[in-house]
């Protein structure tokens, strides 16, 4: 054998493509070319990103807490919570909230009809201020019970809450027809009905916040429109039923409508976000250290003082004015609620584009302005001639439509304004804490208005109207102050 080496002699190795070490193990060492030696890939712009998604991102520029998931059009907040912003489950939940609020808020928006009827029939020997305590207790409990209901919703969901509220609300209406004494009405309508309304009212609003972030104002407005629809159906139905079947069967028929609505609410209202670990069901009043939240709570307090004055006294004002018949006075509150139905949805839709606080401030300004320009002149005028009577009627109708539309946001936008100042997982606690305080305005507001009415010469309503205007003016100023404390005084979407 020859010892001569065979094979070719290696040539010189070129150093044009030097390799860099990336990772080493005891038995292996692998390398990839350095970045400056690799040709860059040309990326193609896809239609799904360039068209619909980019457009969606532009729409969400004003919402700093949201980012868009390009695959399913959902939104992820800055605390890593994903919101579907639509889909069957989300919109069925809104339908459930809508139907629940037809029964709950529909009854709340019809308290003026019951107030007027009872004052003229079963409770005609009592003063306006005394009768008003029945309905102020009802509204008070509807809000005050959020002290526990909101945190329980956060911790355990809405199912049992809505079921219990449905039983109490329907039972209240079935029993109302057999009431004859003042304390009967106070316990059945004021206490039992108020508890039932609260158990439906709070979860119905809070559930919307589990499915929507960017579109929350629109979704909440659609749900809240159910209360206005109920406020149209119930007064018109009662107007026809009272003279035909009497008070007892009229209220029973309304109770059967409530049963239908509440069954749908129990089936469809749901939550989807898990509670935070270690969360208790007690409210935390330390939240009021946040000055913006504190100012917002006072603003809502004054707003509720003003809001329920027209809801409660518009019917009695119309019937006592001498310019309208008793039948039309029931229709006037239905006209008011028809305007409110649009007013709960449209401002919510605009709020998602222009800002929730911005739309709320504008709506409060309109409420104060319409009370000054339409209701106050109607309250001052006396129907001495047919022309004056016609003027009072026209002013009242215009006021009912415009104020009803503007005041619709008083219910639909306050939850989302509160939600602007907190994380979604703590929304129930913030909302409940706020309305624990605000509920005392609903307890005292109607009796205060009744007392003012009793002290005004001749039982004229101009004193009540001025009280309403003052409350709205101060409330709108505090909303602006709260907004300024949180985002500054520049005109930005908030």
């Amino acid at each position: 054998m020859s010892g001569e080496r065979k094979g070719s002699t290696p040539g010189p190795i070129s150093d044009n493509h030097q390799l860099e070490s990336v990772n080493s193990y005891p038995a292996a060492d692998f390398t990839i070319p350095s970045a400056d030696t690799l040709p860059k890939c040309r990326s193609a712009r896809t239609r799904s990103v360039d068209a619909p998604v980019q457009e969606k991102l532009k729409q969400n520029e004003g919402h700093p807490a949201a980012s868009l998931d390009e695959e399913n059009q959902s939104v992820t907040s800055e605390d890593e919570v994903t919101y579907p912003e639509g889909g069957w489950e989300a919109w069925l939940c809104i339908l459930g909230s809508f139907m629940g609020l037809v029964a709950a808020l529909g009854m709340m928006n019809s308290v003026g009809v019951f107030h007027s009827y009872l004052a003229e029939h079963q409770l005609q020997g009592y003063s306006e201020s005394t009768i008003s305590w029945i309905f102020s207790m009802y509204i008070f409990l509807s809000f005050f019970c959020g002290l526990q209901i909101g945190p329980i919703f956060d911790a355990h969901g809405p199912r049992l809450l809505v079921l219990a509220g449905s039983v109490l609300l329907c039972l209240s209406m079935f029993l109302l027809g057999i009431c004859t004494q003042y304390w009967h009405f106070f316990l059945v309508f004021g206490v039992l009905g108020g508890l039932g309304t609260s158990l439906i009212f709070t979860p119905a609003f809070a559930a919307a916040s589990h499915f929507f972030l960017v579109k929350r104002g629109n979704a909440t407005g659609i749900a809240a429109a159910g209360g206005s629809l109920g406020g149209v159906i119930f007064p018109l139905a009662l107007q026809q039923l009272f003279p035909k079947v009497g008070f007892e069967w009229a209220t029973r028929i309304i109770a059967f409508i409530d049963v239908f609505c509440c069954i749908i609410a129990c089936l469809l209202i749901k939550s989807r976000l898990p509670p935070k670990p270690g969360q208790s069901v007690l409210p935390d009043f330390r939240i009021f250290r946040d000055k913006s939240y504190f100012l917002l709570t006072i603003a809502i307090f004054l707003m509720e003082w003003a809001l329920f004055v027209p809801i409660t006294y518009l019917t009695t004002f119309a019937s006592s004015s001498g310019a309208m018949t008793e039948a039309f006075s029931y229709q006037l509150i239905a006209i008011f609620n028809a305007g409110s139905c649009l007013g709960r949805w449209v401002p919510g839709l605009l709020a998602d584009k222009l800002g929730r606080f911005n739309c709320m401030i504008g709506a409060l300004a309109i409420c104060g302005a319409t009370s000054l320009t339409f209701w106050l002149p109607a309250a001052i005028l006396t129907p001495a001639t047919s022309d004056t009577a016609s003027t009072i009627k026209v002013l009242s109708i215009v006021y009912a439509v415009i104020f009803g539309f503007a005041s619709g946001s008083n219910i639909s936008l306050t939850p989302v304004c509160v939600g602007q100042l907190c994380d979604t997982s703590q929304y129930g606690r913030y909302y409940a804490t706020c309305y624990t305080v605000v509920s005392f305005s609903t307890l005292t507001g109607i009796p205060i208005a009744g007392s003012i009415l009793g002290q005004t010469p001749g039982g004229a309503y101009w004193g009540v109207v001025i009280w309403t205007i003052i409350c709205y003016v101060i409330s709108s100023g505090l909303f602006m102050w709260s907004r300024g404390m949180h985002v500054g005084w520049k005109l930005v979407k908030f």
Side-chain angles (χ1 to χ4, degrees), residues 320-323 376-392 458 460 462:
S320 65
S321 66
L376 185 58
I380 293 174
L381 291 173
T382 55
T385 64
S386 59
D387 289 340
T388 308
S390 298
T391 301
I392 294 173
W462 57 264

Side-chain angles (χ1 to χ4, degrees), residues 433-491:
T433 304
C434 172
Y435 270 89
T436 298
V437 176
V438 168
S439 60
F440 285 96
S441 72
T442 63
L443 178 65
T444 58
I446 299 174
I448 289 173
S451 180
I452 293 173
L453 183 62
Q455 298 296 321
T456 307
Y461 278 77
W462 57 264
V464 171
V465 179
I466 292 174
W467 164 255
T468 303
I469 295 169
I470 292 172
C471 290
Y472 268 121
V473 169
I474 299 175
S475 177
S476 59
L478 289 173
F479 258 95
M480 294 176 64
W481 193 2
S482 173
R483 179 192 179 280
M485 292 289 292
H486 198 77
V487 296
W489 298 100
K490 292 184 179 180
L491 187 59

Side-chain angles (χ1 to χ4, degrees), residues 216-219 221 343-353 412-413:
R216 185 175 294 171
N218 181 35
R344 295 189 182 185
W345 172 59
V346 175
L349 184 64
L350 293 175
D352 290 333
K353 301 179 182 298
S412 65
L413 286 187

